[in-house]
Amino acid sequence: MDIHLKSHEQQIRANNKKILLLWASAYALVFALLWGGTLFKIHLDRANLVRAASIEVAARAKSYAEQVLQTIKQIDQLSLVIKYQWERKADALDLDEQYRKGVYQTAIYPVAINAQGVAITDTRALPKGTYMGDLEFFQKNKNTPDAGLVISYPTQGRGGLAGKTVIRFSRRFDKPDGTFDGVVLVAIESGYLNAFHAASTLAPDDFISVHFVDGPELASITGGDGNKTMPFYRQNPRFATADGQRAEPGQQFFDNTARLVAWHKLSDYPLIAMAATTTKNALAPYASVEKTYFSIASSMSFLLLLLFASAALSQMRNAARRRYENQVQTTFRLAVDGAREAFYMIQPTFHADGRTHQFLIEDCNERAAEMAGLMRSELIGKCVTELVQAGAAEKIRNFFVKTLAEDFWEEEFYVPHGWTHLPGWFQGRAVGSGAAIAVTIRDVSETRQQAEALEKMASTDALTGLPNRHWFNDYLPHVLEQAKAQGKFVSLFYIDLDNFKDINDSLGHRAGDEMLCAVAHCLRTAVRKQDHVSRFGGDEFTVIVENIAQDGGVDRIALQLMDAISILNASEIWKNFSIKASVGISTYPQDAQDVDGLLQCADIAMYAAKAEGKSQYRHYDKKFSQKIKERINIEQALQQAISNDEFVLYYQPRAYTINGEFCSMEALIRWQHPQRGLISPLEFIPIAERTRLIIPIGELIIDKACRQIAQWRAAGLPLRQVSLNVSALQLKDDRLRLFLVRCMLRHEIPAALIALELTESSMVDEDSVAPEELRQLRAMGIELQIDDFGTGYSSLSQLQQLDIDVVKIDQSFVRKLGQDQQSNALCEAIISIGRTLNITVVAEGVETEEQLNILRQMGCKEVQGYLLSRPVLPEKIAQLLLQGPFFEALRLEAP
């Protein structure tokens, strides 16, 4: 006996060693896979970061090259303009006067140097008469006729730039016979090439720089604290190709820091723009992630160790227990009792005629007894039909009868409260085995609940709890089918909150979400129980209304919905915002017969309500669709018109009231449509404003007007100022100002010949105009004028702050002069304001000599209107410029 026990213990120890060895090997394998995968992932991520940084540096180099190229092109263009002026010698070259007129920027210092090397212009940075002939750039231009734009290495400046590092751009002057006649020099401080790129946008020790193609540096800027200079190369870098990138080792730089560098050659110039970032900066964002990976891998290693050790101990205990039990019985009982399903062995009994009599429980597992609420010993031997109420006994009998007939049967059933079984959904599966039946019963209540919850989630808006668009698309088709069968109406309300974006932008998205929930609650309470409110997303809601009379019932509900939303205005959270909605209504069957059509009609009606002022409701009307189509057609035609240059400019002159002399004119755009002919701006300008096409159209106007002024000058005509109408959208950034400068330089137009007209209504909204942009335009010498004055309620402070030069009295007041005392008083008040603020006042729409005489008596300085001339083509303007004073011409034409 003792020997048997020792042998048994040895077997247990040997078995335990095998188990421990197996789990230790498994743990080692998982440990190796875990850490190998972690290290491989970190390696891949670091490689991806380096690649991404290389791409970003290459993009930065290209972007920087484009910016530097644009700057140098502007400098080159300026040198060509000065060269043209010098060689033309039509007028004395005075660069200082040009600077005062705003022709070039304050950071650019042009100098004209004669053939003897002496600066002959009185500039801001270099006194007139300074000798420059000893400098390298002068000798290079003198000795190289085709040198083009000469770019010199950075050096110390002279004159007003003494002590500063400057970069010199120079170009040769030629006499008519091609011999050397001097040099135009454009000097800039070295930092000017980087003025548009702040060091704060670069990471510490990153840099961007401009180099000559053979390596020497022209300018640079370094990221960081601003006190460090660029980490210069120990030797000038070499550029084998026009574009490229590479990883540079630390020994290439003075700070011994490895970097990723990229470069891009400037087209037409011997310069290369370079950008660099340190490998450390490229990988910096990954440091915390890498640390997290190590922490997770360490934690997982420890948890796996505990898990594998626990599993090994558990397996050893199970192995010891199984040795003392009957292998076959234990295996069967563990398989049956350890299952989640209830297991029954059912033995049917039969009548003498073969009909089934009873279905007895021959055996079961503990789960079956638990579900029945009895002990296993109490359950064995009972008839199944005794465990259920009388009403369910027949269903149980049929279940087993079908199993005997088919050898397999499966179905789900619900066990309600009050049975011996616990309530819930169960799945029964039965298999016939000879004369017996093996049955498994599985509780699927949780699965059914999860499926129902998922289905509800798919059809419910998570924020408001309302049905969502998915529910709407499933529900409305059934409603329409029922309405069709019963011959009834269905109305769909499409609700969109007005100016909801303002709440999100001002109070944050949390306040916006709270407001949406409040709106959802208001809408639910405003409709009947049988009506259905849903949220489509964002600030859009729908309401489905069935079985409602068409004699005002729909309008009444629309008003109820809008009133319910308006109640929210009393909330403290939104007291600064007026919460209102626009509602579109479509009705089945007269507006549409399907879901998509009904929804589209309601959507169109809602947009019509918004277009007509918001905070109202509209029923769908076919004319709404037609208006939308017409607007889309005009938008597409406008885009085509811009591409095909279908716009023409007419000009309407202005004259002094005192003597009738032609003093200036206004450029007015017309659309020369290939099919419709000449189209008034009243028809297409509002659409151009709404679609932002007004910006490219405005640039077309500027270019055409500058070109026309240049043509009049070339024809020897006396030039007059031309005012151009601009949109507030064009003043959102510096695009308009830069485009104006390019056009004036290209056509050699002084700023004094250009004026910009803004409508007074664009000044009322503080966000509609950019005061700083207007001030910069004004500083260039461009006049600012206010059109349609008297209709927009602008303040006197705005006129003073924006330094307005001219206000134009709206023609609706001028037409009533001599007929309406209020118009007389208003015109006289505007003229008085202009006199006080030293602003020129122009009266628009002057059509009669009586109006002219009244305005003259009031002290109005200028007039514009049909009395002088209608808007005319440039050819007619040429005649008007030569004909003499307008009023004298009027008297000659009078009978």
Side-chain angles (χ1 to χ4, degrees):
M1 183 66 178
D2 185 59
I3 294 175
H4 175 74
L5 290 175
K6 288 182 179 179
S7 176
H8 180 69
E9 290 177 356
Q10 290 174 352
Q11 290 179 359
I12 292 175
R13 291 193 190 99
N15 189 53
N16 288 345
K17 287 181 180 180
K18 291 180 180 179
I19 293 173
L20 288 173
L21 180 61
L22 177 64
W23 282 103
S25 300
Y27 175 76
L29 177 61
V30 174
F31 182 88
L33 291 174
L34 173 64
W35 280 96
T38 300
L39 294 175
F40 183 68
K41 172 64 175 171
I42 291 173
H43 172 74
L44 287 180
D45 288 350
R46 289 170 67 93
N48 288 335
L49 277 176
V50 171
R51 281 195 294 272
S54 298
I55 294 172
E56 181 180 352
V57 169
R60 184 183 297 169
K62 184 175 181 181
S63 174
Y64 181 51
E66 292 172 353
Q67 294 169 340
V68 173
L69 178 61
Q70 185 65 26
T71 301
I72 294 179
K73 278 187 175 182
Q74 290 177 356
I75 294 172
D76 197 4
Q77 180 66 31
L78 178 59
S79 72
L80 287 170
V81 170
I82 296 174
K83 173 181 172 66
Y84 172 78
Q85 293 174 345
W86 176 278
E87 294 177 353
R88 182 184 178 191
K89 298 188 182 300
D91 300 306
L93 180 62
D94 190 342
L95 298 181
D96 188 49
E97 179 185 7
Q98 292 182 7
Y99 166 71
R100 292 194 301 272
K101 292 293 185 178
V103 174
Y104 49 84
Q105 300 178 20
T106 58
I108 298 177
Y109 303 91
V111 181
I113 306 170
N114 63 17
Q116 289 73 41
V118 177
I120 66 167
T121 56
D122 186 11
T123 68
R124 297 164 293 132
L126 191 69
K128 185 175 180 180
T130 300
Y131 181 70
M132 304 287 282
D134 59 330
L135 298 181
E136 180 182 358
F137 75 88
F138 183 87
Q139 296 300 324
K140 184 172 183 179
N141 279 283
K142 181 177 180 179
N143 298 326
T144 311
D146 57 349
L149 182 68
V150 175
I151 305 175
S152 302
Y153 292 127
T155 186
Q156 293 295 311
R158 294 189 175 186
L161 295 177
K164 298 181 180 180
T165 301
V166 299
I167 301 173
R168 295 187 175 113
F169 300 81
S170 57
R171 184 177 291 276
R172 171 187 173 114
F173 290 150
D174 289 317
K175 295 180 180 179
D177 59 0
T179 59
F180 178 69
D181 195 30
V183 175
V184 54
L185 168 66
V186 181
I188 62 171
E189 294 186 31
S190 59
Y192 179 76
L193 291 179
N194 298 314
F196 45 77
H197 203 117
S200 60
T201 62
L202 299 174
D205 297 326
D206 288 0
F207 68 87
I208 57 175
S209 60
V210 183
H211 294 256
F212 288 92
V213 291
D214 56 352
E217 177 189 306
L218 189 63
S220 67
I221 184 172
T222 307
D225 57 12
N227 296 321
K228 298 172 62 177
T229 60
M230 170 185 158
F232 297 103
Y233 279 84
R234 294 181 184 273
Q235 295 180 349
N236 286 333
R238 297 181 179 273
F239 306 103
T241 59
D243 298 271
Q245 61 184 66
R246 60 179 175 242
E248 295 273 24
Q251 57 266 32
Q252 296 284 6
F253 302 97
F254 285 118
D255 60 358
N256 295 316
T257 301
R259 287 176 171 81
L260 303 172
V261 300
W263 64 88
H264 187 87
K265 185 180 182 304
L266 276 65
S267 58
D268 303 326
Y269 299 99
L271 298 177
I272 284 180
M274 171 180 284
T277 184
T278 66
T279 306
K280 179 180 178 182
N281 287 339
L283 297 177
Y286 193 69
S288 61
V289 177
E290 183 175 336
K291 183 177 180 181
T292 301
Y293 280 160
F294 280 119
S295 299
I296 293 174
S298 299
S299 301
M300 289 294 295
S301 300
F302 180 74
L303 291 175
L304 286 171
L305 178 62
L306 294 179
L307 178 63
F308 277 56
S310 176
L313 292 174
S314 177
Q315 185 176 354
M316 288 189 290
R317 285 195 297 267
N318 290 337
R321 181 169 54 83
R322 284 195 298 270
R323 285 182 174 275
Y324 296 96
E325 296 177 351
N326 183 286
Q327 190 68 38
V328 176
Q329 183 63 35
T330 302
T331 302
F332 173 77
R333 187 52 59 191
L334 286 174
V336 173
D337 290 344
R340 290 186 59 201
E341 296 87 354
F343 175 76
Y344 299 89
M345 287 299 296
I346 304 298
Q347 183 64 52
T349 62
F350 302 89
H351 291 288
D353 58 3
R355 291 181 295 109
T356 55
H357 177 220
Q358 290 181 326
F359 296 92
L360 302 176
I361 300 174
E362 190 175 57
D363 196 3
C364 68
N365 62 0
E366 293 295 339
R367 176 64 174 156
E370 179 185 345
M371 291 175 64
L374 299 173
M375 298 292 291
R376 179 171 173 270
S377 58
E378 296 175 334
L379 196 58
I380 294 176
K382 285 188 176 293
C383 180
V384 174
T385 54
E386 295 178 5
L387 301 175
V388 297
Q389 296 176 349
E394 189 61 28
K395 294 182 179 179
I396 297 294
R397 181 181 294 278
N398 290 335
F399 176 78
F400 289 124
V401 168
K402 291 176 181 177
T403 303
L404 291 174
E406 303 290 340
D407 286 335
F408 176 81
W409 196 254
E410 182 179 29
E411 67 181 45
E412 288 187 3
F413 54 90
Y414 182 74
V415 178
H417 181 72
W419 284 22
T420 305
H421 296 273
L422 298 174
W425 281 93
F426 295 85
Q427 181 188 62
R429 179 179 294 176
V431 179
S433 177
I437 301 174
V439 182
T440 57
I441 305 294
R442 183 181 180 185
D443 188 347
V444 294
S445 299
E446 184 177 350
T447 304
R448 288 281 296 240
Q449 290 172 0
Q450 290 176 351
E452 291 173 359
L454 289 174
E455 183 177 357
K456 184 177 181 182
M457 287 174 60
S459 301
T460 304
D461 177 54
L463 177 64
T464 63
L466 291 176
N468 61 12
R469 189 172 193 139
H470 176 74
W471 173 91
F472 177 92
N473 290 330
D474 284 343
Y475 177 75
L476 189 55
H478 302 296
V479 173
L480 297 184
E481 289 178 7
Q482 186 176 7
K484 182 178 180 181
Q486 299 176 357
K488 295 184 177 180
F489 296 98
V490 177
S491 291
L492 176 63
F493 296 75
Y494 199 107
I495 305 166
D496 186 271
L497 302 183
D498 296 331
N499 305 320
F500 175 70
K501 184 176 180 296
D502 294 342
I503 292 180
N504 273 340
D505 293 343
S506 301
L507 303 179
H509 287 277
R510 181 174 180 179
D513 290 345
E514 291 175 356
M515 194 208 73
L516 290 174
C517 292
V519 169
H521 176 73
C522 289
L523 294 177
R524 268 196 298 250
T525 57
V527 297
R528 305 170 303 176
K529 290 183 178 180
Q530 62 266 39
D531 300 330
H532 298 280
V533 181
S534 62
R535 182 189 177 208
F536 260 37
D539 59 339
E540 298 174 340
F541 299 84
T542 61
V543 179
I544 301 173
V545 177
E546 308 171 46
N547 305 329
I548 188 169
Q550 296 297 298
D551 55 349
V554 175
D555 292 345
R556 185 182 69 254
I557 291 179
L559 291 173
Q560 288 175 353
L561 294 172
M562 295 173 66
D563 290 343
I565 293 175
S566 297
I567 293 174
L568 295 175
N569 293 332
S571 168
E572 285 295 321
I573 300 177
W574 309 297
K575 62 183 180 180
N576 294 325
F577 295 90
S578 179
I579 304 172
K580 296 182 180 179
S582 298
V583 181
I585 307 169
S586 61
T587 302
Y588 171 89
Q590 59 261 40
D591 294 333
Q593 283 75 45
D594 57 22
V595 174
D596 290 339
L598 206 61
L599 185 60
Q600 184 180 24
C601 290
D603 190 26
I604 290 173
M606 183 272 293
Y607 276 105
K610 282 189 176 292
E612 295 176 17
K614 301 182 180 180
S615 305
Q616 54 189 312
Y617 69 90
R618 287 291 180 271
H619 291 272
Y620 172 74
D621 192 317
K622 289 184 179 179
K623 67 181 181 182
F624 295 157
S625 298
Q626 184 60 33
K627 287 182 179 179
I628 291 175
K629 291 179 181 178
E630 291 175 357
R631 187 188 70 213
I632 292 173
N633 289 337
I634 292 179
E635 289 178 12
Q636 294 173 343
L638 272 177
Q639 292 174 339
Q640 190 68 28
I642 294 171
S643 300
N644 297 340
D645 192 13
E646 296 175 2
F647 298 99
V648 295
L649 287 186
Y650 279 60
Y651 297 86
Q652 187 173 30
R654 282 164 34 191
Y656 294 117
T657 55
I658 190 68
N659 55 16
E661 287 186 5
F662 193 141
C663 61
S664 60
M665 67 190 88
E666 179 181 1
L668 300 169
I669 189 170
R670 300 290 186 269
W671 180 6
Q672 187 66 51
H673 195 278
Q675 284 81 38
R676 297 175 56 189
L678 209 60
I679 299 177
S680 166
L682 296 177
E683 185 172 346
F684 66 86
I685 289 298
I687 296 176
E689 290 270 6
R690 186 165 57 250
T691 58
R692 299 184 66 85
L693 291 175
I694 193 66
I695 295 175
I697 290 174
E699 292 179 350
L700 281 175
I701 294 172
I702 292 170
D703 186 64
K704 285 178 179 290
C706 289
R707 187 184 302 114
Q708 184 59 61
I709 293 173
Q711 291 175 359
W712 284 329
R713 179 182 59 203
L717 295 172
L719 299 182
R720 298 292 185 268
Q721 184 188 70
V722 177
S723 60
L724 308 174
N725 291 282
V726 296
S727 165
L729 285 174
Q730 295 174 264
L731 297 168
K732 292 295 184 182
D733 51 37
D734 60 359
R735 175 173 173 173
L736 172 67
R737 174 166 49 84
L738 296 178
F739 188 82
L740 262 170
V741 170
R742 287 197 294 271
C743 286
M744 289 189 297
L745 285 174
R746 182 166 61 251
H747 298 291
E748 299 182 10
I749 305 299
L753 288 178
I754 299 295
L756 299 183
E757 286 194 24
L758 294 86
T759 59
E760 187 188 10
S761 57
S762 69
M763 298 174 59
V764 177
D765 183 0
E766 293 181 356
D767 295 331
S768 294
V769 296
E772 182 57 33
E773 191 64 20
L774 290 176
R775 292 188 186 98
Q776 292 195 44
L777 288 166
R778 185 68 180 80
M780 291 170 54
I782 295 175
E783 274 197 2
L784 300 181
Q785 304 180 0
I786 302 300
D787 197 12
D788 301 333
F789 193 79
T791 62
Y793 308 104
S794 62
S795 65
L796 298 181
S797 62
Q798 287 175 309
L799 297 178
Q800 292 177 306
Q801 290 172 1
L802 298 179
D803 198 11
I804 299 300
D805 298 286
V806 176
V807 295
K808 303 177 75 173
I809 305 175
D810 186 70
Q811 57 186 342
S812 62
F813 304 116
V814 175
R815 288 197 185 107
K816 298 178 183 180
L817 284 176
Q819 306 171 15
D820 179 56
Q821 289 299 323
Q822 290 184 343
S823 295
N824 281 30
L826 182 58
C827 290
E828 193 166 6
I830 295 174
I831 293 169
S832 176
I833 291 172
R835 187 182 305 113
T836 302
L837 298 179
N838 197 25
I839 295 175
T840 301
V841 177
V842 180
E844 294 184 296
V846 177
E847 299 181 355
T848 67
E849 291 195 31
E850 180 187 3
Q851 294 168 353
L852 174 64
N853 291 329
I854 293 174
L855 291 166
R856 183 181 289 161
Q857 292 172 5
M858 290 181 178
C860 182
K861 294 296 180 72
E862 299 178 20
V863 292
Q864 178 181 351
Y866 288 178
L867 181 64
L868 278 66
S869 171
R870 292 177 177 270
V872 295
L873 290 170
E875 296 78 11
K876 181 65 175 177
I877 287 293
Q879 300 174 18
L880 295 177
L881 286 169
L882 299 174
Q883 76 173 9
F886 281 97
F887 304 149
E888 182 177 341
L890 288 173
R891 286 193 294 273
L892 290 174
E893 293 173 3

